[in-house]
């Protein structure tokens, strides 16, 4: 049995995965804020899964943790996990000290990519396109995470595609993330709604032109991300995940429409069959926790 | 001894590579135009290298051919090799019939990528950014070509980066290839000069504003290609090759200047250390023929 934990900005998922890769147990906790609380949340998650499975930490084949931010997978250090209130934390070492066993730490998008790849029983090459606060992709090749030479493979949210676009937090202009992410939507549509993208979709269907334009830019930005992933890595599948993916078929439909429009003017793009490569992550499965449990296999 | 052939639009290079991977023999021929002449050129190349090495076709450990266009590496079929006057040719089968031994066929940019990787004794992940008539990259991972799920990995010339850009031959607007390729330069600077890009550089240094703008867009387009290759695949090295690379340090200097400019406004980009990842392919080595000789190892 393997144990995987996904520490998110508000919720932490933990799962036990059996030998066949199937989900055996699952719990959800509120995530604490700040160094000590984040470590405590993970320790509690291990203990809760331990109660459900009857296993001590040492009884699991491996324990993996997915966490937002920059992760050094060798040292287990986490940096810039702003949502968790962490500037820098030696998460791997601290958890190992508390649990008495080694813990593997991985970036949450990469963990979700790995979990999705296994959940969908894919083969070949896949990108998990995470549309959360930001945009980033996790790339899996033949069942293994593709990290690249410095660990920044898949950071496509900061590829600029419009010199006249909005200024991005990264200092560039017109990045994909400025139109196709939670923060990009929130910047364009100031609202008290905790889910600005739902407010945008609602206003768009009520006929609001500005909301319709924001919605169109979102779909075009996602479609551009798909095109980039195919024309660089040539991924066979792009799975859309992250917070915005909860829009479900409404979002996927918009993206497919953009991709089909492109095919009408470009036989080259039509030959790539982009619409057939794109799908949504299945709702309701904690793919990042699942992936965190599997990180040990890589 | 391995034999590699690179069939270019006007010249064909052929090399013999010894067990250590070193260049043992080398010849250059004019390339014939059309189906029969292209096959004849390759047969002549094998025969000339055979004379120099004293080997019959069956005496080589492998024979590989690099050729422009769409290549099916399994069947040896070549399609859309416009520069060679080929709409469709069963090059692998025809050469095998003439030579009495199997021949591996590979796209010339991919072959050049492999040859460059070995020539420069690189490790990890590299992209060979070919700036010829068009723009495309060949990606090598741990010494092997990365083809992707459908063989179009690295076709970054058709990633649009400016909605207000020029219409591309592929039917899209603002593709990298429209500003950073031989055809892109020729479209913007009509001239009788057989090397329009040299004419542009000359006019730019004479103070021509339009030429300076074209030269600036070329450098920015190449820099954008580098940024895309790093933010997707995270290649450790980008080697600039192809016809435009003959501009040498003048071109590389322009690209480095753009990348350094970007770093001043984006700490994120500065953290990627893009300038240090970019270099020029060494002048004078037939890297595509060298790579074609090594394709058999992959």
């Amino acid at each position: 049995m393997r144990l995987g934990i996904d520490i998110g900005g508000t919720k932490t998922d933990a799962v036990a995965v059996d030998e066949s890769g199937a989900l055996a147990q699952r719990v959800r906790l509120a995530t604490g804020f700040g160094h000590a609380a984040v470590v405590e949340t993970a320790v509690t998650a291990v203990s809760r899964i331990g109660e459900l499975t009857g296993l001590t930490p040492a009884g699991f084949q491996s324990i993996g943790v997915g966490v937002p931010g920059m992760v050094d997978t060798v040292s287990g250090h986490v940096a810039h996990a702003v949502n968790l209130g962490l500037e820098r934390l030696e998460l791997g070492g601290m958890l190992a000290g508390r649990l008495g066993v080694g813990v593997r730490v991985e970036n949450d998008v990469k963990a979700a990519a790995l979990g999705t790849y296994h959940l969908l029983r894919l083969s070949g090459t896949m990108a998990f396109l995470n549309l959360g606060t930001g945009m980033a992709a996790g790339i899996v090749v033949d069942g293994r995470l593709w990290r690249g030479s410095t660990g920044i493979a898949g950071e496509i949210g900061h590829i600029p595609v419009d010199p006249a676009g909005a200024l991005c937090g990264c200092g560039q202009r017109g990045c994909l993330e400025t139109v196709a992410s939670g923060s990009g939507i929130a910047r364009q549509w100031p609202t008290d709604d905790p889910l600005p993208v739902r407010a945008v979709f609602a206003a768009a269907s009520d006929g609001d032109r500005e909301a319709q334009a924001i919605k169109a830019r979102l779909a075009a930005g996602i479609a551009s991300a798909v095109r980039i992933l195919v024309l660089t890595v040539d991924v066979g599948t792009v799975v859309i995940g992250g917070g915005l993916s909860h829009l479900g078929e409404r979002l996927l439909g918009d993206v497919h429409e953009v991709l089909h429009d492109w095919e009408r003017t470009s036989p080259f793009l039509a030959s790539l069959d982009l619409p057939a490569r794109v799908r949504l992550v299945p709702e309701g499965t904690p793919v990042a926790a699942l992936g965190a449990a599997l990180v040990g296999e890589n």
Side-chain angles (χ1 to χ4, degrees), chain A residues 116 120 122 126-129 237-241 277 279-281:
Chain A
T116 300
L120 299 179
L122 296 175
M126 177 211 77
F128 178 83
L129 180 60
T237 310
V238 178
V239 181
I240 297 174
R277 302 193 194 213
R279 55 192 290 187
L280 291 165
V281 70

Side-chain angles (χ1 to χ4, degrees), chain A residues 182 185-186 189 191-202 243-244 246-247:
Chain A
I185 298 291
W189 191 261
T191 172
D192 292 334
D193 194 310
L195 287 167
V197 74
R198 290 207 188 178
V200 168
F201 270 61
L244 299 195
H246 297 307
L247 291 163

Side-chain angles (χ1 to χ4, degrees), chain A residues 13-85:
Chain A
D13 283 307
V15 301
V17 175
D18 70 19
E19 294 300 310
S20 73
L23 210 60
Q25 296 292 348
R26 170 179 177 181
V27 298
R28 172 168 271 200
L29 309 167
T31 302
F33 190 81
H35 293 65
V38 163
V39 172
E40 207 52 47
T41 302
V43 170
T44 305
V46 172
S47 143
R48 292 278 299 280
I49 290 288
E51 288 162 20
L52 293 168
T53 54
L55 293 171
T56 61
F60 292 98
Q61 196 178 340
S62 68
I63 301 180
V65 181
V67 63
M70 299 276 289
V71 174
D72 181 331
T73 57
V74 177
S75 67
H77 288 206
V78 180
H80 308 304
V82 182
N83 291 345
L84 303 181

Side-chain angles (χ1 to χ4, degrees), chain A residues 180-291:
Chain A
S181 73
S183 62
I185 298 291
R187 189 199 71 249
Q188 297 174 83
W189 191 261
T191 172
D192 292 334
D193 194 310
L195 287 167
V197 74
R198 290 207 188 178
V200 168
F201 270 61
S205 70
D206 287 347
D208 185 291
R209 292 294 178 86
E210 182 56 23
Q212 287 168 351
I214 293 170
K215 183 168 175 278
R217 283 193 290 268
L218 169 61
I222 297 170
S224 295
V226 171
R227 175 171 55 190
I228 286 172
L229 288 164
V230 171
L231 290 177
T232 52
V233 183
D234 190 13
V235 292
T237 310
V238 178
V239 181
I240 297 174
L244 299 195
S245 71
H246 297 307
L247 291 163
E249 294 298 332
R250 288 185 297 166
L251 182 67
L252 186 63
D254 284 1
V255 173
H256 274 158
E257 202 172 299
V258 172
L259 295 172
H260 284 300
D261 274 354
W262 288 352
E263 293 188 340
R264 280 189 272 278
T265 51
S266 174
F268 169 72
L269 281 187
S271 76
L272 305 180
D273 207 6
L274 297 180
R277 302 193 194 213
V278 185
R279 55 192 290 187
L280 291 165
V281 70
E283 273 281 348
T285 305
V287 287
L290 182 59

